[in-house]
Amino acid sequence: TMEKKTFNQAAYVNEYKKKFYKQYAFRFSLKKDQAIIDHLEKQADKTNYIKSLIQRDIEKSEKESSL
């Protein structure tokens, strides 16, 4: 008999993420990093906030290296 294969949406999404995305996890010290934690918590979109900081740093580095 032919077995009907069911589509596993969760597995598909996990494979897609693994193939097309990179994920990072950060730990902050509640004692030493409280100001950073507080500031990050205020950001509505933490991913875009961090990406914009990195992009700004890349642009700054490119300008400095071209001098």
Side-chain angles (χ1 to χ4, degrees):
T1 64
M2 294 263 306
E3 238 182 86
K4 188 177 179 185
K5 262 195 158 186
T6 58
F7 179 71
N8 186 335
Q9 180 74 24
Y12 174 82
V13 169
N14 285 338
E15 272 305 306
Y16 183 88
K17 286 181 187 175
K18 205 182 287 184
K19 195 172 183 179
F20 294 105
Y21 288 88
K22 181 75 175 165
Q23 183 172 328
Y24 294 92
F26 299 95
R27 285 193 172 85
F28 296 97
S29 167
L30 293 174
K31 290 181 180 179
K32 298 176 193 168
D33 300 323
Q34 194 59 55
I36 293 168
I37 294 167
D38 292 343
H39 190 73
L40 190 56
E41 288 296 319
K42 292 177 192 171
Q43 307 307 313
D45 186 338
K46 291 163 186 59
T47 298
N48 278 330
Y49 176 69
I50 291 169
K51 286 164 64 174
S52 71
L53 291 176
I54 294 169
Q55 188 61 45
R56 203 177 318 151
D57 194 44
I58 291 168
E59 291 165 5
K60 181 181 170 198
S61 295
E62 287 171 349
K63 283 180 187 170
E64 289 172 358
S65 68
S66 67
L67 295 176

